[in-house]
Amino acid sequence: MKMLRTIRFDASDDHIYEVASPGEEWAISGGAAFTGIDAQALQGKVRQAFANGFLGLGSFGRSTFVSVGEATVAQRDEALAALAAHLRDAHHVPQAMAEQAARAELDDACALAAELPIHTVLTVRRVLADGGEIEEEFRTIAAPTGDKPHAQIWSVVPDEGDDASASAVTSDGPPPAGERP
């Protein structure tokens, strides 16, 4: 069966999420974690996790990218048990409800993965719609074609200030159209 798996291309997730997935974890969308959130609470790293983060099912950290991977029934069952335990322990959801919610979330992620080839890379874009509804849009990232590999255009470098956790993103390429350097 196919499932979503977190991936890391660089260290940027460490700088934009409160807790970043280390990569290579089974994943779900994770949007349900924001159910009922007030728009005013969507600030800083919480906003970034809401807007673009998948939820890794090992660390329960966020990842900007996931890929479609092949999983065994045992791996799916382990991911399901981990998510249900997380819902129960971290969010105080009763056991029966935690298992039901975990199954629904994992089924949704598996349904998304089932339609795509192995190694397909995805991103998520989430918005808070009118009435507090969470809307999600998933996009695939196309692999390079022919003999032209992806070019690195961004680097994450530590800030030289007092706060070692701060970072800056620098461009190794031309600015996007319409922006000044």
Side-chain angles (χ1 to χ4, degrees):
M1 83 182 58
K2 294 178 185 175
M3 289 177 51
L4 301 178
R5 189 171 202 101
T6 62
I7 57 174
R8 306 256 326 233
F9 293 118
D10 57 31
S12 60
D13 285 355
D14 291 329
H15 302 283
I16 60 174
Y17 299 124
E18 192 67 39
V19 177
S21 167
E24 297 301 318
E25 296 182 319
W26 297 115
I28 59 170
S29 156
F34 300 100
T35 300
I37 195 165
D38 183 86
Q40 299 300 319
L42 295 176
Q43 302 291 323
K45 292 182 178 189
V46 172
R47 182 187 184 306
Q48 191 64 33
F50 171 79
N52 304 105
F54 288 93
L55 184 66
L57 299 180
S59 65
F60 294 95
R62 295 288 169 164
S63 178
T64 301
F65 299 100
V66 294
S67 67
V68 175
E70 190 68 38
T72 65
V73 171
Q75 289 171 319
R76 184 187 192 287
D77 290 347
E78 288 173 16
L80 181 63
L83 180 56
H86 176 73
L87 292 172
R88 184 190 67 236
D89 298 342
H91 300 285
H92 311 290
V93 175
Q95 182 67 30
M97 289 177 66
E99 289 173 3
Q100 182 180 10
R103 186 171 311 282
E105 286 291 313
L106 197 54
D107 285 350
D108 287 347
C110 289
L112 175 62
E115 301 297 319
L116 300 168
I118 297 292
H119 303 299
T120 300
V121 176
L122 294 108
T123 63
V124 63
R125 180 174 135 335
R126 251 182 235 104
V127 295
L128 195 58
D130 293 336
E133 302 268 333
I134 297 172
E135 295 178 359
E136 292 181 318
E137 176 184 30
F138 299 95
R139 295 183 182 181
T140 59
I141 307 295
T145 58
D147 59 348
K148 293 184 176 184
H150 284 293
Q152 180 177 350
I153 60 169
W154 303 103
S155 299
V156 177
V157 295
D159 202 8
E160 293 182 20
D162 293 337
D163 183 6
S165 67
S167 64
V169 178
T170 62
S171 172
D172 294 336
E179 290 187 19
R180 294 179 187 244

mmCIF file of all heavy atoms in Angstrom, residues 80-99:
data_model
loop_
_atom_site.group_PDB
_atom_site.id
_atom_site.type_symbol
_atom_site.label_atom_id
_atom_site.label_comp_id
_atom_site.label_asym_id
_atom_site.label_seq_id
_atom_site.Cartn_x
_atom_site.Cartn_y
_atom_site.Cartn_z
ATOM 1 N N LEU A 80 -0.744 4.016 12.635
ATOM 2 C CA LEU A 80 -2.080 4.209 13.184
ATOM 3 C C LEU A 80 -2.045 4.204 14.710
ATOM 4 O O LEU A 80 -2.629 5.079 15.357
ATOM 5 C CB LEU A 80 -3.014 3.113 12.662
ATOM 6 C CG LEU A 80 -4.463 3.168 13.106
ATOM 7 C CD1 LEU A 80 -5.129 4.445 12.609
ATOM 8 C CD2 LEU A 80 -5.199 1.948 12.586
ATOM 9 N N ALA A 81 -1.342 3.247 15.290
ATOM 10 C CA ALA A 81 -1.236 3.164 16.750
ATOM 11 C C ALA A 81 -0.517 4.384 17.316
ATOM 12 O O ALA A 81 -0.924 4.928 18.356
ATOM 13 C CB ALA A 81 -0.510 1.884 17.147
ATOM 14 N N ALA A 82 0.541 4.839 16.648
ATOM 15 C CA ALA A 82 1.284 6.007 17.121
ATOM 16 C C ALA A 82 0.407 7.257 17.097
ATOM 17 O O ALA A 82 0.417 8.055 18.043
ATOM 18 C CB ALA A 82 2.536 6.217 16.275
ATOM 19 N N LEU A 83 -0.354 7.435 16.023
ATOM 20 C CA LEU A 83 -1.221 8.610 15.918
ATOM 21 C C LEU A 83 -2.329 8.561 16.964
ATOM 22 O O LEU A 83 -2.608 9.566 17.619
ATOM 23 C CB LEU A 83 -1.802 8.730 14.510
ATOM 24 C CG LEU A 83 -2.733 9.911 14.272
ATOM 25 C CD1 LEU A 83 -2.066 11.241 14.623
ATOM 26 C CD2 LEU A 83 -3.207 9.920 12.822
ATOM 27 N N ALA A 84 -2.949 7.409 17.151
ATOM 28 C CA ALA A 84 -4.002 7.287 18.159
ATOM 29 C C ALA A 84 -3.448 7.576 19.554
ATOM 30 O O ALA A 84 -4.076 8.299 20.350
ATOM 31 C CB ALA A 84 -4.635 5.893 18.108
ATOM 32 N N ALA A 85 -2.268 7.067 19.862
ATOM 33 C CA ALA A 85 -1.642 7.325 21.168
ATOM 34 C C ALA A 85 -1.325 8.806 21.336
ATOM 35 O O ALA A 85 -1.509 9.376 22.420
ATOM 36 C CB ALA A 85 -0.376 6.482 21.325
ATOM 37 N N HIS A 86 -0.860 9.442 20.265
ATOM 38 C CA HIS A 86 -0.559 10.876 20.317
ATOM 39 C C HIS A 86 -1.833 11.682 20.586
ATOM 40 O O HIS A 86 -1.824 12.599 21.418
ATOM 41 C CB HIS A 86 0.092 11.321 19.014
ATOM 42 C CG HIS A 86 0.360 12.784 18.933
ATOM 43 N ND1 HIS A 86 1.360 13.392 19.642
ATOM 44 C CD2 HIS A 86 -0.271 13.767 18.238
ATOM 45 C CE1 HIS A 86 1.349 14.694 19.387
ATOM 46 N NE2 HIS A 86 0.360 14.939 18.539
ATOM 47 N N LEU A 87 -2.900 11.344 19.900
ATOM 48 C CA LEU A 87 -4.167 12.055 20.111
ATOM 49 C C LEU A 87 -4.650 11.864 21.548
ATOM 50 O O LEU A 87 -5.131 12.802 22.183
ATOM 51 C CB LEU A 87 -5.225 11.567 19.126
ATOM 52 C CG LEU A 87 -4.978 11.919 17.655
ATOM 53 C CD1 LEU A 87 -5.991 11.216 16.763
ATOM 54 C CD2 LEU A 87 -5.001 13.414 17.441
ATOM 55 N N ARG A 88 -4.502 10.661 22.050
ATOM 56 C CA ARG A 88 -4.942 10.367 23.415
ATOM 57 C C ARG A 88 -4.068 11.087 24.451
ATOM 58 O O ARG A 88 -4.579 11.747 25.347
ATOM 59 C CB ARG A 88 -4.894 8.849 23.647
ATOM 60 C CG ARG A 88 -5.415 8.414 25.006
ATOM 61 C CD ARG A 88 -5.136 6.951 25.294
ATOM 62 N NE ARG A 88 -3.692 6.749 25.443
ATOM 63 C CZ ARG A 88 -2.976 5.876 24.732
ATOM 64 N NH1 ARG A 88 -3.553 5.104 23.844
ATOM 65 N NH2 ARG A 88 -1.692 5.770 24.927
ATOM 66 N N ASP A 89 -2.761 10.973 24.298
ATOM 67 C CA ASP A 89 -1.845 11.491 25.319
ATOM 68 C C ASP A 89 -1.606 12.998 25.224
ATOM 69 O O ASP A 89 -1.606 13.691 26.235
ATOM 70 C CB ASP A 89 -0.497 10.757 25.238
ATOM 71 C CG ASP A 89 -0.635 9.265 25.503
ATOM 72 O OD1 ASP A 89 -1.664 8.840 26.071
ATOM 73 O OD2 ASP A 89 0.292 8.521 25.125
ATOM 74 N N ALA A 90 -1.394 13.497 24.032
ATOM 75 C CA ALA A 90 -1.061 14.920 23.874
ATOM 76 C C ALA A 90 -2.290 15.814 23.795
ATOM 77 O O ALA A 90 -2.229 16.983 24.165
ATOM 78 C CB ALA A 90 -0.193 15.122 22.631
ATOM 79 N N HIS A 91 -3.394 15.263 23.315
ATOM 80 C CA HIS A 91 -4.590 16.082 23.112
ATOM 81 C C HIS A 91 -5.773 15.636 23.970
ATOM 82 O O HIS A 91 -6.876 16.147 23.798
ATOM 83 C CB HIS A 91 -4.966 16.103 21.626
ATOM 84 C CG HIS A 91 -3.883 16.678 20.770
ATOM 85 N ND1 HIS A 91 -3.619 18.020 20.709
ATOM 86 C CD2 HIS A 91 -2.970 16.085 19.958
ATOM 87 C CE1 HIS A 91 -2.601 18.235 19.882
ATOM 88 N NE2 HIS A 91 -2.195 17.083 19.426
ATOM 89 N N HIS A 92 -5.553 14.650 24.819
ATOM 90 C CA HIS A 92 -6.560 14.184 25.788
ATOM 91 C C HIS A 92 -7.855 13.729 25.125
ATOM 92 O O HIS A 92 -8.940 13.954 25.653
ATOM 93 C CB HIS A 92 -6.825 15.256 26.846
ATOM 94 C CG HIS A 92 -5.570 15.796 27.435
ATOM 95 N ND1 HIS A 92 -4.769 15.054 28.268
ATOM 96 C CD2 HIS A 92 -4.952 16.987 27.275
ATOM 97 C CE1 HIS A 92 -3.707 15.782 28.610
ATOM 98 N NE2 HIS A 92 -3.791 16.953 28.010
ATOM 99 N N VAL A 93 -7.723 13.082 23.972
ATOM 100 C CA VAL A 93 -8.878 12.537 23.269
ATOM 101 C C VAL A 93 -9.141 11.137 23.838
ATOM 102 O O VAL A 93 -8.210 10.347 23.965
ATOM 103 C CB VAL A 93 -8.599 12.461 21.744
ATOM 104 C CG1 VAL A 93 -9.729 11.789 20.999
ATOM 105 C CG2 VAL A 93 -8.326 13.858 21.185
ATOM 106 N N PRO A 94 -10.379 10.825 24.176
ATOM 107 C CA PRO A 94 -10.680 9.474 24.671
ATOM 108 C C PRO A 94 -10.239 8.405 23.669
ATOM 109 O O PRO A 94 -10.282 8.623 22.454
ATOM 110 C CB PRO A 94 -12.206 9.477 24.828
ATOM 111 C CG PRO A 94 -12.564 10.924 24.975
ATOM 112 C CD PRO A 94 -11.568 11.680 24.144
ATOM 113 N N GLN A 95 -9.827 7.241 24.184
ATOM 114 C CA GLN A 95 -9.240 6.176 23.368
ATOM 115 C C GLN A 95 -10.065 5.839 22.121
ATOM 116 O O GLN A 95 -9.528 5.799 21.025
ATOM 117 C CB GLN A 95 -9.011 4.918 24.211
ATOM 118 C CG GLN A 95 -8.348 3.776 23.457
ATOM 119 C CD GLN A 95 -6.923 4.063 23.042
ATOM 120 O OE1 GLN A 95 -6.205 4.805 23.710
ATOM 121 N NE2 GLN A 95 -6.497 3.507 21.927
ATOM 122 N N ALA A 96 -11.337 5.579 22.281
ATOM 123 C CA ALA A 96 -12.165 5.189 21.128
ATOM 124 C C ALA A 96 -12.210 6.291 20.075
ATOM 125 O O ALA A 96 -12.107 6.016 18.872
ATOM 126 C CB ALA A 96 -13.575 4.827 21.587
ATOM 127 N N MET A 97 -12.339 7.525 20.510
ATOM 128 C CA MET A 97 -12.365 8.652 19.566
ATOM 129 C C MET A 97 -11.000 8.849 18.921
ATOM 130 O O MET A 97 -10.916 9.184 17.736
ATOM 131 C CB MET A 97 -12.811 9.927 20.275
ATOM 132 C CG MET A 97 -14.280 9.929 20.654
ATOM 133 S SD MET A 97 -14.757 11.417 21.575
ATOM 134 C CE MET A 97 -14.537 12.674 20.331
ATOM 135 N N ALA A 98 -9.936 8.650 19.692
ATOM 136 C CA ALA A 98 -8.578 8.793 19.160
ATOM 137 C C ALA A 98 -8.330 7.771 18.055
ATOM 138 O O ALA A 98 -7.763 8.105 17.000
ATOM 139 C CB ALA A 98 -7.545 8.647 20.273
ATOM 140 N N GLU A 99 -8.750 6.540 18.279
ATOM 141 C CA GLU A 99 -8.564 5.503 17.261
ATOM 142 C C GLU A 99 -9.377 5.808 16.007
ATOM 143 O O GLU A 99 -8.890 5.644 14.892
ATOM 144 C CB GLU A 99 -8.948 4.141 17.834
ATOM 145 C CG GLU A 99 -7.957 3.644 18.867
ATOM 146 C CD GLU A 99 -8.406 2.376 19.584
ATOM 147 O OE1 GLU A 99 -9.495 1.833 19.242
ATOM 148 O OE2 GLU A 99 -7.666 1.936 20.475
#
